[in-house]
Amino acid sequence: MVLMVIVGATPNTNQSNELGLHTIVTEFDLYDKKWIVELMQSLFMAGFMVGCITFGQLADIYGRRFVMVPCLALSAACAMLSGVANTWQTFAVTRFFAGIFIGGLMSGFTLMLELIGKDAWRLTGMVFQTFFSFGMMFLALLGYCVMEWRSICWILGGFMLVLFVVFIFIFPESPRWLYSVGRIEEAQTVMRNLASANGKDPSRIILTKSDTGSSAVETKNTLFDIFRHRKLTIWFLANASVWFCCALVYYGLTMSVSDLTDSIYLGILLSAAVEIPGGLICIYFMGTRRLGRKGTILGTFIICFVACIAMTVQPDGSASWNLWFGLTAKLAIAAAFNILYVYSVEIFPTSMRTVALGAASTLGRVGAIIAPFVILLSSLQSYAPYLVFTVTCCVSCLSIFVLPRTFGYVVPQNIEECLNRQKDDHENVDGNDRSALLENIDA
């Protein structure tokens, strides 16, 4: 979606560095049809929504790597096809399919966390999300240097192809997933390879089946299993609500960079750069017993709520007012988004982790689909979008109160463990003493 902020931009004729910018607006004469550009934004997120739920289920059944490989290749193909579109309708179709396959890459986040010990989830998960911000900054620089939307699409498609090749040769299947479906020997092989790569003794990694019986380990849960348990259903709906609100506010603020500064390049750069300190600061607070994941994400929504109120009360304020509170809101909601990824992974068990995360974020993408049209409300009242963001942050805060605390608890492997959470009394170990799979080997 961030690609469209550049590719779908209307060049500002008052900015000399935007006079040579060629976008789909200039190519297909969409100056007076802004709704078409916003529609393309929504189509991409609609595809993303489809991809999250579809490939999320496939990843829990057939494996994370099984889904990641084709989705990376097809995402690259769609990006390159976007660059050869000769009508805006064709471009819109390619963006929809790009959204589907990029939605399938959501399993990559789950795979990353499941390849390392739980003690490193907080740090790794948050640092991982900062690379999205670096990607936005790179996009701003790329747009400034290239200024041709077709070339931008081809360059990004080329990067995706490089990632596809790297992924095939480097990343193994998730050992946690292999263990959860009863493929013990394969999980042990992956863990021993990771141990060797980190200079550890691989012979110490010996995995055995769960003491609760093989049937509990080998069960493959689907999304429908969530709704068979009242507590899981409440958690899922509350989590989906937070995803919805977070996506609506985050993408809405991202597409409102023109409110921050006259230059689109500088607006994107600042909007992306401010996300990095927000995410890194939260790494500390997420690891405290007093706040944990739940308290930290609640705090970020409260900060965003206050900043959006300021923008609502004085939407046409001075440049410094808009810049200060606009960036504060973006910092807070970006931090909330980053925490939400880690928090959601810890709420649900391994047997349904990807599909639950995919389904919740899928419902959240409805917020991202709506976001472009929320921005259009500014044509009626300049404060209208920020009023919507304010109410949305309030709803998120109420939903978070329903969710469980996860910091200091054992990561559940199955539904039974999820519903009866156990305290993790170990300091540097996952706390699930069933196998060395759950130990932190500094992978």
Side-chain angles (χ1 to χ4, degrees):
M1 175 174 271
V2 180
L3 172 66
M4 286 296 296
V5 178
I6 290 285
V7 172
T10 300
N12 187 347
T13 55
N14 294 323
Q15 292 289 320
S16 58
N17 56 13
E18 293 184 29
L19 293 178
L21 179 62
H22 296 284
T23 67
I24 60 172
V25 174
T26 61
E27 179 89 9
F28 304 128
D29 191 23
L30 303 178
Y31 290 99
D32 298 325
K33 300 175 182 178
K34 191 175 180 181
W35 66 270
I36 292 180
V37 178
E38 307 302 345
L39 176 63
M40 292 180 189
Q41 297 268 37
S42 296
L43 283 174
F44 175 83
M45 295 313 301
F48 192 97
M49 183 174 66
V50 173
C52 280
I53 189 66
T54 303
F55 290 110
Q57 181 69 81
L58 291 175
D60 276 340
I61 296 176
Y62 298 106
R64 312 335 187 186
R65 194 176 188 277
F66 178 87
V67 168
M68 284 288 295
V69 171
C71 283
L72 274 170
L74 292 170
S75 296
C78 287
M80 291 185 171
L81 287 174
S82 295
V84 298
N86 54 6
T87 64
W88 71 261
Q89 292 91 341
T90 305
F91 181 82
V93 171
T94 61
R95 296 308 297 158
F96 174 74
F97 281 100
I100 291 178
F101 299 122
I102 291 177
L105 299 181
M106 279 287 293
S107 57
F109 184 77
T110 305
L111 172 61
M112 180 196 68
L113 293 188
E114 291 180 345
L115 283 171
I116 62 177
K118 189 210 169 198
D119 289 335
W121 281 16
R122 170 171 51 95
L123 176 62
T124 308
M126 295 298 288
V127 172
F128 173 86
Q129 296 299 329
T130 61
F131 280 90
F132 183 82
S133 304
F134 285 120
M136 288 177 61
M137 295 168 69
F138 171 77
L139 183 61
L141 179 62
L142 182 63
Y144 179 81
C145 295
V146 178
M147 304 187 75
E148 169 57 52
W149 72 274
R150 294 185 187 275
S151 298
I152 293 174
C153 290
W154 293 332
I155 291 172
L156 294 180
F159 276 118
M160 293 294 289
L161 282 179
V162 173
L163 290 176
F164 167 70
V165 174
V166 171
F167 185 86
I168 288 179
F169 291 102
I170 293 182
F171 285 86
E173 182 55 270
S174 163
R176 281 183 180 268
W177 177 82
L178 291 170
Y179 185 88
S180 72
V181 296
R183 293 160 63 174
I184 311 299
E185 292 184 5
E186 293 177 61
Q188 180 173 282
T189 299
V190 173
M191 292 298 293
R192 287 184 171 181
N193 290 338
L194 291 174
S196 297
N198 285 278
K200 305 295 182 180
D201 182 9
S203 62
R204 296 177 57 193
I205 308 295
I206 301 175
L207 305 186
T208 58
K209 288 189 176 182
S210 170
D211 295 335
T212 58
S214 60
S215 60
V217 176
E218 297 172 2
T219 299
K220 295 180 180 180
N221 296 121
T222 66
L223 179 62
F224 299 105
D225 291 315
I226 292 177
F227 299 101
R228 295 176 181 172
H229 305 273
R230 182 174 176 272
K231 188 181 292 186
L232 274 181
T233 301
I234 293 174
W235 289 347
F236 173 76
L237 294 177
N239 187 245
S241 174
V242 177
W243 273 96
F244 172 87
C245 297
C246 206
L248 174 60
V249 178
Y250 177 84
Y251 288 108
L253 291 174
T254 299
M255 288 180 286
S256 300
V257 292
S258 59
D259 294 341
L260 304 179
T261 175
D262 292 332
S263 172
I264 186 173
Y265 307 117
L266 181 60
I268 294 175
L269 184 67
L270 291 175
S271 180
V274 77
E275 295 183 8
I276 299 174
L280 296 179
I281 291 172
C282 286
I283 292 176
Y284 169 76
F285 293 105
M286 287 173 64
T288 60
R289 293 280 179 179
R290 184 177 297 275
L291 293 177
R293 282 61 158 148
K294 183 175 179 177
T296 306
I297 193 173
L298 180 61
T300 58
F301 271 112
I302 292 174
I303 294 172
C304 186
F305 172 78
V306 173
C308 287
I309 287 179
M311 295 291 285
T312 302
V313 173
Q314 196 171 348
D316 300 317
S318 64
S320 58
W321 177 278
N322 290 339
L323 187 64
W324 172 257
F325 285 106
L327 291 180
T328 299
K330 187 63 187 300
L331 181 151
I333 198 62
F337 222 153
N338 293 347
I339 299 167
L340 186 57
Y341 274 93
V342 178
Y343 189 28
S344 298
V345 165
E346 294 178 347
I347 291 175
F348 301 101
T350 302
S351 59
M352 61 170 58
R353 182 168 295 132
T354 302
V355 69
L357 177 61
S361 63
T362 293
L363 296 177
R365 300 307 162 175
V366 174
I369 293 172
I370 296 173
F373 298 101
V374 171
I375 302 303
L376 291 178
L377 293 176
S378 61
S379 61
L380 302 177
Q381 291 290 344
S382 57
Y383 65 82
Y386 295 99
L387 177 60
V388 173
F389 299 153
T390 300
V391 174
T392 303
C393 287
C394 185
V395 172
S396 284
C397 292
L398 296 176
S399 298
I400 290 170
F401 280 111
V402 179
L403 296 172
R405 293 181 63 89
T406 60
F407 181 73
Y409 290 84
V410 174
V411 176
Q413 285 287 102
N414 51 52
I415 293 178
E416 181 181 354
E417 292 180 3
C418 183
L419 296 175
N420 302 283
R421 293 178 178 271
Q422 299 295 320
K423 286 272 190 178
D424 184 357
D425 298 323
H426 297 76
E427 188 134 336
N428 294 314
V429 183
D430 190 309
N432 191 338
D433 57 3
R434 296 175 310 177
S435 70
L437 170 65
L438 305 179
E439 295 183 357
N440 184 351
I441 61 169
D442 300 322

